[in-house]
Structures are given as C-alpha cells and as structure tokens.
Amino acid sequence: IVGFPGESEAAFEETCALVRACGFDRVNTAAYSPRPGTPAADWPDQVADLVKSDRLARLNAVCAEVAAERAARFAGRTLEVLVEGPNPKPDPGTILDVDKPQAYGRSRHNKVVFFEGDGEALKGQLVHVKVEAVNTYTLYGTLAPGPVPGEDAIRPPGFVWAGGEEGGGGGVADEAAQLELVGAVDVP
C-alpha cells in the first residue's frame, strides 16, 4: 500500500528498493484510501491523492520491470505444466496461432503458460511445455515430448507426492523446489 498517512518520499523509495531486492514475480499493489471508523483515517500527515497516484504508478512500473526480468529466466526452458483448460481468450499478438486450439495451465512456479493443444482433453493433466516466448506475467510455448530436463533434481525417482500418488500432483519433492516456488531462489 502506498500513501499511508505519514509516508515520506524516502519511505516510498525504500519500498521500491525492497521490491527490487526481493525479486517478486508478482505484487499486489494499491493506494491507501481512508475508511470511516478506522484510526488511520483521522491521522495527521495524510498523503495527497495526486502523490498517491504518482507513487502507485511508479511502484507498479518497478514491479513490472522486476517481473519481466524474472520471467526471462524461463525462455528456452521446458516446464511441467498442470493444464487448467482451453485458453478463454486467444490473443493474436502472441506466437500462438489463434486458428488452432489453445490450452493454458500453470507451472510449478505458478506462472501461467499458454500453448497450442486441446485444453479440454488435456485438462487436469501434467504436460511438458517448451517456453518459446515470455512477457511480464505469462509464458508461451509448444508441447514438448519426454521428461523435463532437470526434473529428477526436483522430483527424484520413487518420490511420492503429498496426495499419495507416485508422480501425480500435489507436493514438492525438496526444499530447493519449495523455495523456487515462492521465488526465494532459482533452481536450474
């Protein structure tokens, strides 16, 4: 939240520095707005609406810059994706052919991944997608055969997921993969 009563320009800059240092994939941001009956609504040093709007725009730009830098690490990688279904809004501005069926799902990094394929038939399945293009918050690729390179480092043979199924969804095999999921480290 930017523009909380008493927020100085220096404090705001510290927020931006924190976002850069942490390297978040996604951040939910908002400008503070007073709510009736809350103590902060009556505090002195309320931040002007124009200042809050400016700070929010600047923070969002930092967040997008950091997210784009982090998304770039997926270019060329093959990821395991849990298919959620057909792409509800095929976009002609991507590498995907809008005249072919498209599916989407999420990687283990909680990145949305779009690819050509029958989303209805693949729904609920784990597939491998080679990432061909990235933008700030989404990845685009093609279905890839075979195992995901480096997958055994994250999920050793014989590993049983939290759901009790060998090789089926639900858990994370090791601490490194768990940390990558929350964006704390990058696992190759």
Side-chain angles (χ1 to χ4, degrees), residues 86-91 94-103 114-119 142:
N87 181 357
K89 296 182 195 174
D91 181 355
T94 70
I95 64 164
L96 303 179
D97 185 343
V98 294
D99 294 325
K100 293 184 179 176
Q102 294 180 20
F114 292 96
F115 58 94
E116 291 176 5
D118 184 344
T142 54

Side-chain angles (χ1 to χ4, degrees), residues 1-19 27-35 40 45-63:
I1 293 178
V2 299
F4 193 78
E7 179 187 63
S8 65
E9 181 64 23
F12 169 74
E13 288 296 334
E14 287 179 16
T15 299
C16 292
L18 178 68
V19 168
V27 178
N28 293 319
T29 61
Y32 168 77
S33 59
R35 299 286 188 251
D45 299 324
Q46 295 288 324
V47 177
D49 287 344
L50 285 175
V51 173
K52 287 190 279 190
S53 294
D54 174 66
R55 288 180 183 171
L56 182 59
R58 289 165 43 209
L59 179 60
N60 284 340
V62 169
C63 293

Side-chain angles (χ1 to χ4, degrees), residues 69-86:
E69 289 170 5
R70 289 193 49 79
R73 76 190 195 274
F74 294 108
R77 288 176 62 181
T78 300
L79 303 176
E80 189 172 61
V81 174
L82 176 60
V83 181
E84 294 185 20

Side-chain angles (χ1 to χ4, degrees), residues 19 26 30 82 92 104 114 139 155 167 173 179 182:
V19 168
R26 185 175 285 266
L82 176 60
Y104 81 102
F114 292 96
L139 310 175
R155 188 178 60 209
L179 290 172
V182 297

